[in-house]
Amino acid sequence: MSTSAPAAPGQLGVAATPQQLMEYLGRLDAWLAERRSELDSLDAQIIGSGRQAELTSDMALALALWQAAKTRQSLLLSTWDSGRVGQQERERLSALIWGRLDTANAGLAQLQSMSVSLPEAGRLCDALVAQLRTRLNTDPTAEQQQIRLRDLRAQLERIRDQVKLEPPTLAPVAGAKLNTLAARTTDLVDKRTRGGDIGGMLGALEIDAARLERDLIVGAAKRREARDLLVRAREQLAEVSAREQAVRTLAAQATAAVWPTPDGALPSVAGLGPVPNTRTALVGFVDGLGTVAGQLNKAQAELTATLAEREAAASLCSALQAKAAGLGQAGEPDLVELSDLVGRRLAESPVVLPVVHQLLQAYAAQLDFLARRHR
């Protein structure tokens, strides 16, 4: 089998035409079917060869990539809706094709750490399958060296495109490796033209090309993941910082309005330091922001509850006064004195809540006493 993952139309943010999308979905379906059949065959051969310890890791990754692509195909077909698509649906289809696949539930650590699009997953799966074929020495086209060389040249072009995406510091090394592979390929083509046997050297070259393509795709995915993590850290920092200022304002309002307020200093994002520039440190920084956000939520709830106590005390005072009037006791001197005292206390800034609570309890007890005495 020599089918490769189809080239995807459009790009992220640019919708493809309906005809391009229909053709791509057809080629994607064919590739998924053929690739699954070959993966099943390779899996059986690995088990039969007794080389599970050596080859299972690459096989599991290839299967996980295939499954991620298959899952994304389901979303594509649902959005395609048999061709009933407008501009909005075509933009959504392009986003599904070029956006990162959901690998969080893949059950494979090395895939969970990747951030790959559907085309990248297809190319990486192809590279892994080509490597597995050669390592098992079961390439279905082993006698057709011309086809293998053609596929190899196509793979080198994919690698060339991938090298262009490398950062300036890494591009020279990747470019040198690509040039070496291209030179080796040219040498094999020339040797075959002269009638030489290239069978043994071709397999080694295919493995090296597959390894380089895999490494470039994985490296690009990890860099994209690091960039995404940095963006998320900055966005979350801005959000938590804004929330911190709001809670500090609420704390100042509570301090001016009531006493006592919740003890303890409010958490601060400043204690986390500046946004780091390494992936490991970024993960810890984002976790720290989550902790600060949780502490701020707790502080906000406590401050809000404290302010609500003042309103509850005022409401209770009104209710007790209404009850006294209903019992004909509103003019009783002790109740009038307590009512005036509660009113003055509630008008203070800050309101001393323990004193107000005690006065309200005294008012309620006095009212209860008068009501019982006049039955």
Side-chain angles (χ1 to χ4, degrees), residues 221-337:
K222 289 183 176 179
R223 287 193 298 274
R224 181 161 54 248
E225 182 186 18
R227 289 195 297 269
D228 292 346
L229 185 59
L230 178 59
V231 171
R232 181 156 60 93
R234 289 172 175 169
E235 291 176 347
Q236 193 169 341
L237 174 61
E239 177 187 346
V240 177
S241 296
R243 192 183 311 173
E244 177 188 340
Q245 294 305 314
V247 174
R248 289 190 182 280
T249 300
L250 179 62
Q253 294 172 349
T255 300
V258 297
W259 184 91
T261 53
D263 295 329
L266 291 175
S268 173
V269 294
L272 298 176
V275 179
N277 56 9
T278 64
R279 185 183 183 283
T280 302
L282 276 171
V283 171
F285 186 81
V286 170
D287 290 343
L289 285 173
T291 299
V292 171
Q295 294 171 342
L296 287 172
N297 288 339
K298 180 181 178 182
Q300 179 182 354
E302 293 175 346
L303 289 167
T304 302
T306 300
L307 285 172
E309 285 189 51
R310 181 185 60 178
E311 304 305 323
S315 298
L316 178 58
C317 180
S318 298
L320 289 172
Q321 290 172 343
K323 181 178 179 181
L327 294 173
Q329 302 294 328
E332 203 280 329
D334 289 340
L335 292 182
V336 172
E337 181 180 358

Side-chain angles (χ1 to χ4, degrees), residues 77-109:
L77 291 176
S78 176
T79 306
W80 173 248
D81 194 19
S82 300
R84 292 184 287 271
V85 292
Q87 178 66 25
Q88 185 176 10
E89 289 78 11
R90 290 191 292 115
E91 291 176 354
R92 193 175 302 134
L93 284 164
S94 288
L96 287 171
I97 292 171
W98 292 103
R100 71 175 285 180
L101 296 180
D102 180 14
T103 57
N105 300 317
L108 196 62

Side-chain angles (χ1 to χ4, degrees), residues 89-157:
E89 289 78 11
R90 290 191 292 115
E91 291 176 354
R92 193 175 302 134
L93 284 164
S94 288
L96 287 171
I97 292 171
W98 292 103
R100 71 175 285 180
L101 296 180
D102 180 14
T103 57
N105 300 317
L108 196 62
Q110 60 190 118
L111 182 56
Q112 291 171 6
S113 65
M114 293 183 190
S115 176
V116 293
S117 64
L118 179 56
E120 288 174 332
R123 294 199 303 270
L124 182 53
C125 186
D126 286 345
L128 287 167
V129 167
Q131 181 173 316
L132 285 167
R133 278 199 221 116
T134 304
R135 293 172 70 182
L136 284 166
N137 195 27
T138 56
D139 188 350
T141 59
E143 290 88 18
Q144 304 176 36
Q145 293 179 349
Q146 184 62 39
I147 294 177
R148 293 173 66 185
L149 287 169
R150 183 198 65 193
D151 291 346
L152 183 58
R153 285 192 291 265
Q155 185 175 34
L156 291 179
E157 287 304 308

Side-chain angles (χ1 to χ4, degrees), residues 177-256:
K177 292 180 179 178
L178 171 62
N179 292 337
T180 299
L181 291 175
R184 290 170 61 187
T185 302
T186 300
D187 289 343
L188 289 187
V189 171
D190 292 343
K191 184 173 182 178
R192 182 175 181 275
T193 302
R194 295 191 301 267
D197 181 11
I198 64 171
M201 292 181 289
L202 181 56
L205 180 55
E206 288 171 329
I207 290 177
D208 290 343
R211 182 181 296 112
L212 177 58
E213 184 174 21
R214 178 195 63 188
D215 291 345
L216 289 173
I217 293 173
V218 171
K222 289 183 176 179
R223 287 193 298 274
R224 181 161 54 248
E225 182 186 18
R227 289 195 297 269
D228 292 346
L229 185 59
L230 178 59
V231 171
R232 181 156 60 93
R234 289 172 175 169
E235 291 176 347
Q236 193 169 341
L237 174 61
E239 177 187 346
V240 177
S241 296
R243 192 183 311 173
E244 177 188 340
Q245 294 305 314
V247 174
R248 289 190 182 280
T249 300
L250 179 62
Q253 294 172 349
T255 300

